[in-house]
């Protein structure tokens, strides 16, 4: 997850409230701020009032949609553990065929 103050620093980002920001949208020519940014504990919400998609916004500053969300290490570890078990089960089955 990225810091909006850093990520949108070249687009005139300003904090407008608690966890709320306003910036010029990097995905289109923007003279006045049209991008609303709200940060939460596990995600960042983007809304361009001109209609740009969150994907086009984050890609225009070098990020991906996954960067809008906090990494869930427990989920990742569980996912990799499940994949490891599946791999061992597959190998076990193919060893007997």
């Amino acid at each position: 997850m990225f810091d909006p103050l850093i990520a949108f620093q070249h687009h005139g980002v300003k904090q407008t409230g608690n966890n709320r920001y306003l910036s010029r949208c990097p995905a289109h020519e923007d003279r006045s701020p049209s991008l609303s940014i709200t940060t939460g504990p596990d995600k960042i919400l983007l809304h361009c009032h001109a209609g740009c998609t969150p994907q086009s916004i984050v890609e225009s500053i070098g990020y991906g949609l996954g960067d809008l969300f906090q990494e869930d290490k427990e989920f990742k570890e569980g996912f990799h553990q499940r994949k490891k078990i599946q791999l061992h089960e597959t190998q076990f089955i193919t060893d007997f065929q």
Side-chain angles (χ1 to χ4, degrees), residues 5-67:
L5 286 174
I6 295 171
F8 295 99
Q9 67 184 343
H10 300 295
H11 302 281
V13 65
K14 293 183 180 175
Q15 191 161 4
T16 58
N18 191 23
N19 300 324
R20 295 183 184 272
Y21 305 87
L22 194 59
S23 176
R24 292 188 314 274
C25 179
H28 74 273
E29 289 294 321
D30 209 359
R31 291 186 185 158
S32 60
S34 65
L35 178 62
S36 296
I37 306 162
T38 304
T39 60
D42 59 349
K43 64 187 166 225
I44 297 172
L45 303 175
L46 302 175
H47 177 75
C48 175
H49 297 277
C52 298
T53 65
Q55 182 172 356
S56 65
I57 296 166
V58 295
E59 287 178 353
S60 68
I61 57 171
Y63 290 95
L65 283 177
D67 295 313

Side-chain angles (χ1 to χ4, degrees), residues 2 7 11 29 31 77 83 90 95-96:
F2 60 83
H11 302 281
E29 289 294 321
R31 291 186 185 158
E77 288 170 3
K83 283 295 186 190
T90 304
D95 286 345
F96 284 103

